[in-house]
């Protein structure tokens, strides 16, 4: 596998993640849970937002996440520890997914409790 491939894939995922956040696509739960964590934390202390729209901080996380992961995987490929680095990144991705779902449930509970 060419060393530049993870970075190219990361750059190609940027518009997918940003557009998915802007158009409230359900695949974002899997693709970019880090952005959802930021969005739900930001919305938790705010009044109810019927749109649940992504804002600049959420989109910034979505735009920066995959290029950073691509750089990390490219370096790991060069150093020969691609598998362990990939497993760590996948593990943190799963943690972010669980955290996003948990925070969304808490946010929704707070919003229904307050109304």
């Amino acid at each position: 596998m060419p060393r530049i491939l993870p970075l190219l894939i990361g750059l190609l995922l940027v518009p997918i993640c940003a557009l998915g956040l802007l158009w409230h696509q359900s695949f974002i739960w899997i693709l970019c849970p880090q952005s959802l964590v930021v969005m739900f934390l930001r919305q938790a202390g705010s009044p109810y937002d019927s749109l649940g729209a992504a804002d600049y901080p959420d989109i910034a996380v979505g735009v920066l996440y995959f290029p950073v992961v691509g750089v990390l995987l490219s370096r790991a490929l060069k150093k020969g520890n691609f598998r362990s680095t990939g497993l760590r990144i996948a593990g943190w991705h799963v943690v972010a997914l669980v955290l996003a779902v948990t925070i969304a449930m808490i946010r929704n509970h707070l919003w229904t409790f307050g109304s």
Side-chain angles (χ1 to χ4, degrees):
M1 172 176 6
R3 196 185 103 174
I4 194 85
L5 189 61
L7 181 57
L8 291 175
I9 292 171
L11 292 173
L12 289 174
L13 285 170
V14 168
I16 295 170
C17 193
L19 294 173
L21 282 167
L22 289 173
W23 282 305
H24 311 284
Q25 298 298 312
S26 58
F27 68 85
I28 291 300
W29 280 98
I30 303 298
L31 185 63
C32 201
Q34 299 79 4
S35 294
L36 294 172
V37 169
V38 173
M39 180 169 56
F40 295 143
L41 284 174
R42 182 180 53 78
Q43 291 175 351
S46 303
Y48 178 72
D49 175 10
S50 62
L51 297 175
D55 202 0
Y56 293 117
D58 325 326
I59 295 171
V61 171
V63 167
L64 294 175
Y65 176 72
F66 287 109
V68 168
V69 168
V71 167
L72 292 174
L73 290 175
S74 292
R75 288 183 182 176
L77 193 59
K78 180 181 177 182
K79 292 181 180 181
N81 58 355
F82 182 79
R83 183 176 178 182
S84 64
T85 303
L87 288 174
R88 285 185 188 145
I89 290 172
W92 282 110
H93 195 85
V94 170
V95 167
L97 183 60
V98 170
L99 192 59
V101 170
T102 303
I103 292 172
M105 289 179 2
I106 292 169
R107 179 203 64 171
N108 293 340
H109 178 71
L110 290 174
W111 281 353
T112 57
F113 182 70
S115 53

